[in-house]
Amino acid sequence: MNKAFLLSLGLFLTAATVQAQTPATATNVAEATPYRATATKRNDLVHTKLDVRFDYKKRYLYGKEWVTLKPHAYPTDSLQLDAKGMDIQTVALVNGNANQPLKFTYDEEFLRINLGKTVQPGTDYTVYIEYTAKPDELKVKGSAAITDAKGLYFINPDSSVAGKPVQIWTQGETEGSSAWFPTIDRPNQKTTSEISMTVPSKYVTLSNGKMTDSKPAGAGLRTDTWKMELPHSPYLFMMAVGDFKITHDTWRGKPVDYYLEPKYAPYAKEIFGKTPEMMEFFSNRLGVEYPWNKYAQVVARDYVSGAMENTTATLHGEAVAGTAREMLDRPYGSSESIVAHELFHQWFGDYVTAESWSNLTVNESFADFSEALWAEHKYGKDAADAHRFGYIRRYLSGPGNENKDLVRFHYADKEDMFDGVTYQKGGAILDMLRTYLGDDVFFKSLTKYLTDNKFGNGEAHQLRLAFEAVSGKDLNWFFNQWYFGAGHPVVTIDYGWDATKKQQSVTIKQTQEGQKFILPLAIDVYVKGKAERHQVLMTEGTQTFSFAAASQPELVNVDATKMMLWQKTDNKPFSAYVYQYQHAPLYLDRREALVAAQSRQKDDAAARALLLSALNDKFYGLRLAAAQSLDLKNADIRKKAADALRKQLNQEKETAVQAALLTNLAVLNDKRDQKLYEKYLDNQSYNVQGAALNGLSLTKPTEALSRAKTLEADSHGALTEAIVEVYAKQGDAAQWPYIQAQFDEAGAQQRINMLEAMDEVMVRTTDPAVFNAALTRVKDLGIKYKQYGIDRAVLGLLGDVQQRKTGATATQAQQEIEKATQEIQQAK
């Protein structure tokens, strides 16, 4: 499961917001929440056979099920199945060709069956059930990661929304499968499966495994049967039905298919085309060939999460789809990384499944780890390190994350496990372990873990034992502090040079509360341009390491691999950062130097020079960071930046950097750049077009307004935002319908990006209806996302409107703003 973490509201989610939330301590969490034991196995699932058909009008599923089980360890005369909100018509024991009715009780959550006899351990028996699933009548709640839990979803079943496709799809994780078929809905159960779906013959179906039969089923109907011959957990069962166009691909002779709405089908290879290469790379790296008989990916409407790794058939939310032009502006982390993440789950999560949600790390931490692993293979180490670092920042910024164990046996709800600790911190921990053990041992250990536990369940202890068996090292210390403990080191680093002894010292002090971590570290000491690496082990809260050196080092680079998960205050001089940028090899070496330069650029010529030189960094992410770091209000920066920006723009190939450079030039507001803006308005990238239009609006507003009207027909993302901004600043009431429509159709982040435009609309309009429509939308945004600090941004905007609003409608506008302000402030 890919966790989108709700919204990328970093623009307004300030440190103050985070600090305002007081997390409970780890001890208090354990005291306040129950111990979550792994589910006891009384009966084991063996095989699940389903025959289902759908009532689109009622949003019901009519099902027949033959579920085969066997007692696990003790004789039993009863069976309990999870079955949420169903009507149960028939329950019977299959006896040859006959069905023997069984007594049962049902309370809308559990189906308890008296088997009428005692069955011995290891003996298979089959129960037949007829039932009706009614997912839309369920009263269930989701989580931050998975926003709904009713299992089965009918999308636009009555075709009431024009232009929206009719679809059916399922979402099993965590325990949603039991909303559409009775089962033992626990991750430590494994079963083979067969699912027959009767659907309107105009639709395509997808499920786990291989389609073994497809035949007419009456007027306008067809029954497709999908068989899964290898065992997998119930939460990984899936169905999808809709007007999908299939694009076929292959890997080592196995089908690899992409199911998309017809409008996106022409771009299937741009969206998913790297999948076979990923399958080859992961198979080789893990030493375990992709274990299933096919791999399919389908994009569904109104999906309740980012994506879901159903066995052999991943379901993606619609955000992953896009046209060729849209894909130009997709950073690795917004699309391709999700494809890698869900594919890696076919090994870690599907082939070997977490035995309980407490051990979710053996599913999700590995999937997060895989994203940088693929980036490293495909795009190089800088790209991988940038991706990793983004995830580490996400973990560090999450309120309360420092108090949560990675393996967590105490939690309020299983959905709470889908967080920045399980995902981002867990992935970073695997990177640290890989660095400590080395690639050869690390990946051989993963091969052993997967092989030893194939088609079964895993937990952190089994992972540790696999690493210990291959490496020959005791790793209890590592797992105790990183898997079964909470938090991370917070350190200060100080340096000393003894010219008499020709000795360089480094003092590292851990300042976090609670446990002190054992930290294996690489320290590179640079003398006369040559680096010497020292491997050290920090075992105390404060520790000094000393190294002989022929002369005072130009740089001492602590954590030279840049894989340590910690927060550090590094008290090295800025001259060392400049040297680090120029000589140390890694993305984070250079990024740390840029951060140091950003804070000093106002008063330090060396810092300004470093930022300007970084506009030509070898990695586009740092070129982008340098462009975004320039303080163009600084006269010295402005004086030297213009030529550097134009020079880099002339040779820049990455659209994200092109857009940032154009945005910077727009801040300089030099009429000489007008031709540049006009040139880049013809670019295929929406981001670049948007930046160019914003620049043109400053140098030649009337032309920008004219060009905006011609760009309306094919706009998206940043270009749409730019058109809205031009209309807000230069247009009139005739452009308001476009602004309103784009705001209403936009996602949360894009609406936030349009707030400045809405400010301009409210200040400039003389039409009370337009003013109130804009005000209502802004107010509603502030209330809806108040928990993320958006209310403060909105209140600031409304204050700006109050100050700037003039004319005959100003008095009424002031009253409306005061009313909206009160509603935002009083909202919970």
Side-chain angles (χ1 to χ4, degrees):
M1 170 65 65
N2 177 270
K3 182 171 184 180
F5 283 89
L6 294 178
L7 302 161
S8 57
L9 304 182
L11 183 61
F12 298 114
L13 186 56
T14 62
T17 309
V18 174
Q19 292 168 1
Q21 303 180 44
T22 306
T25 65
T27 302
N28 288 340
V29 169
E31 291 173 352
T33 55
Y35 172 72
R36 302 295 183 174
T38 299
T40 300
K41 288 186 172 183
R42 295 183 175 85
N43 286 281
D44 293 337
L45 293 171
V46 176
H47 182 67
T48 303
K49 179 180 178 181
L50 300 171
D51 184 352
V52 304
R53 48 187 73 219
F54 306 98
D55 187 327
Y56 282 80
K57 183 176 181 180
K58 293 182 177 179
R59 305 189 184 200
Y60 285 178
L61 175 150
Y62 302 116
K64 298 177 181 178
E65 177 178 21
W66 296 261
V67 56
T68 301
L69 310 99
K70 59 184 178 183
H72 183 78
Y74 304 100
T76 187
D77 61 359
S78 62
L79 169 65
Q80 178 174 294
L81 298 174
D82 299 284
K84 298 182 177 72
M86 300 178 181
D87 292 337
I88 306 295
Q89 287 94 29
T90 302
V91 178
L93 185 69
V94 176
N95 188 2
N97 293 325
N99 287 341
Q100 175 187 333
L102 296 175
K103 294 180 179 180
F104 67 91
T105 60
Y106 180 56
D107 62 2
E108 301 293 316
E109 184 174 1
F110 298 111
L111 176 60
R112 297 178 177 88
I113 302 169
N114 186 327
L115 298 175
K117 64 177 182 179
T118 298
V119 183
Q120 297 300 313
T123 302
D124 288 0
Y125 66 93
T126 300
V127 172
Y128 171 72
I129 305 169
E130 289 185 26
Y131 64 97
T132 302
K134 303 180 291 183
D136 279 29
E137 298 176 19
L138 278 177
K139 291 180 173 59
V140 291
K141 65 176 183 177
S143 65
I146 311 165
T147 59
D148 198 277
K150 62 185 182 182
L152 175 66
Y153 297 80
F154 290 83
I155 306 303
N156 200 25
D158 53 6
S159 300
S160 60
V161 180
K164 187 173 186 177
V166 176
Q167 296 176 352
I168 294 173
W169 47 262
T170 60
Q171 167 57 36
E173 194 173 39
T174 49
E175 295 176 6
S177 288
S178 52
W180 62 276
F181 67 97
T183 188
I184 304 175
D185 208 353
R186 302 293 181 273
N188 64 344
Q189 290 284 343
K190 296 271 181 157
T191 171
T192 54
S193 61
E194 176 181 332
I195 302 177
S196 295
M197 289 178 272
T198 299
V199 301
S201 31
K202 62 183 177 180
Y203 293 140
V204 169
T205 69
L206 175 65
S207 189
N208 312 100
K210 180 181 180 182
M211 185 191 289
T212 59
D213 189 44
S214 181
K215 59 188 179 184
L221 297 174
R222 187 187 72 252
T223 299
D224 292 344
T225 298
W226 294 81
K227 287 187 178 180
M228 185 72 192
E229 296 178 346
L230 298 173
H232 60 142
S233 292
Y235 80 89
L236 297 167
F237 281 36
M238 74 86 67
M239 299 185 297
V241 182
D243 181 20
F244 301 112
K245 186 171 182 180
I246 307 172
T247 301
H248 299 289
D249 215 336
T250 61
W251 173 79
R252 295 190 188 180
K254 295 182 178 182
V256 178
D257 295 328
Y258 317 128
Y259 291 65
L260 290 152
E261 292 177 35
K263 68 177 180 179
Y264 289 117
Y267 314 108
K269 291 297 180 73
E270 284 93 341
I271 299 167
F272 293 127
K274 294 184 180 69
T275 302
E277 187 182 349
M278 290 180 183
M279 296 171 77
E280 183 69 18
F281 171 66
F282 289 151
S283 294
N284 292 332
R285 206 73 179 96
L286 294 172
V288 175
E289 184 176 317
Y290 175 79
W292 315 105
N293 60 5
K294 75 122 186 320
Y295 189 55
Q297 295 173 89
V298 58
V299 178
R301 289 290 187 102
D302 298 347
Y303 185 49
V304 294
S305 188
M308 180 63 208
E309 67 275 9
N310 309 297
T311 315
T312 77
T314 288
L315 193 151
H316 290 276
E318 59 199 280
V320 79
T323 65
R325 290 192 65 189
E326 290 173 291
M327 298 303 291
L328 283 175
D329 294 325
R330 294 278 176 87
Y332 172 75
S334 72
S335 186
E336 187 178 334
S337 68
I338 298 171
V339 175
H341 179 113
E342 303 307 329
L343 174 60
F344 209 69
H345 268 311
Q346 299 296 318
W347 287 269
F348 291 92
D350 297 9
Y351 189 57
V352 181
T353 308
E355 72 164 16
S356 70
W357 302 119
S358 294
N359 275 280
L360 186 60
T361 177
V362 301
N363 290 10
E364 295 298 350
S365 300
F366 275 102
D368 262 34
F369 164 81
S370 76
E371 297 177 28
L373 184 65
W374 169 251
E376 182 178 342
H377 167 76
K378 187 66 177 176
Y379 304 109
K381 187 161 176 54
D382 279 351
D385 289 347
H387 192 75
R388 289 188 188 102
F389 182 66
Y391 274 4
I392 289 172
R393 286 197 299 172
R394 184 174 288 182
Y395 156 71
L396 292 174
S397 66
N401 281 346
E402 72 277 9
N403 296 320
K404 300 175 184 177
D405 296 346
L406 179 57
V407 178
R408 211 172 315 152
F409 293 103
H410 292 268
Y411 52 80
D413 190 281
K414 57 190 177 299
E415 306 295 339
D416 298 341
M417 291 300 300
F418 294 79
D419 61 9
V421 176
T422 295
Y423 285 75
Q424 284 79 39
K425 182 183 182 182
I429 288 168
L430 288 169
D431 279 312
M432 286 193 295
L433 189 56
R434 176 188 177 188
T435 303
Y436 176 65
L437 295 176
D439 274 13
D440 187 53
V441 167
F442 179 83
F443 286 105
K444 283 182 179 177
S445 301
L446 297 190
T447 304
K448 179 173 176 57
Y449 169 79
L450 289 169
T451 304
D452 289 351
N453 302 290
K454 62 183 178 181
F455 303 117
N457 295 97
E459 56 177 306
H461 289 300
Q462 289 163 320
L463 192 63
R464 174 181 60 83
L465 292 171
F467 280 114
E468 289 183 339
V470 175
S471 70
K473 296 176 181 285
D474 176 88
L475 293 171
N476 279 290
W477 64 271
F478 185 93
F479 277 77
N480 284 343
Q481 71 183 21
W482 290 114
Y483 278 81
F484 301 105
H488 53 269
V490 179
V491 304
T492 57
I493 306 173
D494 292 288
Y495 305 87
W497 168 246
D498 188 325
T500 303
K501 295 181 178 179
K502 291 190 177 300
Q503 193 172 74
Q504 175 70 47
S505 64
V506 177
T507 300
I508 306 174
K509 181 179 181 180
Q510 297 188 43
T511 62
Q512 74 278 3
E513 294 183 4
Q515 68 165 322
K516 305 306 177 187
F517 287 76
I518 299 172
L519 303 176
L521 293 167
I523 300 178
D524 283 355
V525 179
Y526 287 77
V527 177
K528 296 181 179 179
K530 183 179 179 180
E532 182 178 355
R533 176 155 295 184
H534 302 271
Q535 298 288 351
V536 303
L537 184 67
M538 185 174 186
T539 57
E540 302 171 11
T542 301
Q543 203 160 346
T544 298
F545 303 96
S546 298
F547 314 104
S551 60
Q552 183 172 4
E554 296 94 350
L555 170 67
V556 179
N557 194 5
V558 178
D559 183 28
T561 64
K562 294 295 180 281
M563 285 294 176
M564 185 55 60
L565 176 59
W566 63 6
Q567 290 173 286
K568 67 177 180 179
T569 301
D570 196 336
N571 296 315
K572 72 178 81 171
F574 183 68
S575 59
Y577 278 114
V578 174
Y579 189 92
Q580 180 172 308
Y581 181 86
Q582 295 169 342
H583 294 86
L586 300 179
Y587 162 84
L588 274 177
D589 291 320
R590 306 198 306 282
R591 188 188 184 282
E592 287 176 357
L594 291 183
V595 171
Q598 182 181 5
S599 63
R600 300 171 61 92
Q601 62 182 302
K602 180 179 179 181
D603 303 310
D604 192 325
R608 295 193 289 272
L610 178 58
L611 289 174
L612 291 172
S613 69
L615 291 173
N616 194 35
D617 192 277
K618 65 178 182 177
F619 178 57
Y620 88 93
L622 289 178
R623 299 197 299 275
L624 178 62
Q628 293 173 335
S629 297
L630 291 172
D631 179 8
L632 295 174
K633 295 178 181 179
N634 181 287
D636 291 319
I637 286 279
R638 289 177 66 91
K639 184 177 180 180
K640 294 183 178 180
D643 288 341
L645 293 168
R646 293 183 188 111
K647 180 181 178 180
Q648 185 57 37
L649 181 60
N650 187 54
Q651 63 189 23
E652 184 59 58
K653 303 300 181 186
E654 293 288 338
T655 61
V657 186
Q658 289 174 340
L661 294 170
L662 286 164
T663 298
N664 278 355
L665 288 171
V667 174
L668 298 179
N669 197 12
D670 189 329
K671 292 187 181 299
R672 290 177 296 175
D673 292 321
Q674 181 177 323
K675 294 295 184 182
L676 269 179
Y677 302 137
E678 293 172 349
K679 170 187 172 182
Y680 281 97
L681 275 175
D682 295 327
N683 195 281
Q684 285 296 295
S685 161
Y686 291 119
N687 285 351
V688 172
Q689 282 187 306
L693 184 62
N694 282 328
L696 187 63
S697 71
L698 295 174
T699 58
K700 199 165 184 181
T702 55
E703 184 173 337
L705 180 61
S706 176
R707 288 299 301 271
K709 293 175 181 177
T710 68
L711 293 168
E712 266 192 33
D714 184 13
S715 69
H716 182 80
L719 177 57
T720 298
E721 293 172 19
I723 294 172
V724 165
E725 190 165 338
V726 168
Y727 284 170
K729 293 180 177 179
Q730 310 298 335
D732 53 32
Q735 278 77 53
W736 168 247
Y738 178 86
I739 296 174
Q740 177 176 286
Q742 297 308 315
F743 188 89
D744 291 348
E745 292 172 10
Q749 186 62 57
Q750 197 171 10
R751 291 186 187 188
I752 292 166
N753 296 344
M754 293 181 187
L755 281 175
E756 184 178 346
M758 299 299 272
D759 181 315
E760 289 295 325
V761 167
M762 286 187 282
V763 168
R764 294 181 66 240
T765 186
T766 58
D767 185 334
V770 171
F771 178 89
N772 288 328
L775 177 63
T776 298
R777 284 161 173 78
V778 169
K779 176 196 71 177
D780 290 347
L781 190 71
I783 292 173
K784 185 172 183 179
Y785 298 111
K786 187 172 184 175
Q787 61 177 314
Y788 301 104
I790 303 305
D791 59 316
R792 294 196 302 279
V794 168
L795 291 173
L797 179 151
L798 295 180
D800 179 71
V801 176
Q802 279 185 310
Q803 291 181 1
R804 296 169 58 204
K805 186 73 175 174
T806 59
T809 61
T811 301
Q812 182 63 33
Q814 297 279 356
Q815 295 174 357
E816 296 295 337
I817 289 172
E818 289 174 7
K819 181 180 177 182
T821 298
Q822 290 180 355
E823 290 183 42
I824 295 170
Q825 291 171 337
Q826 293 171 4
K828 301 298 184 182

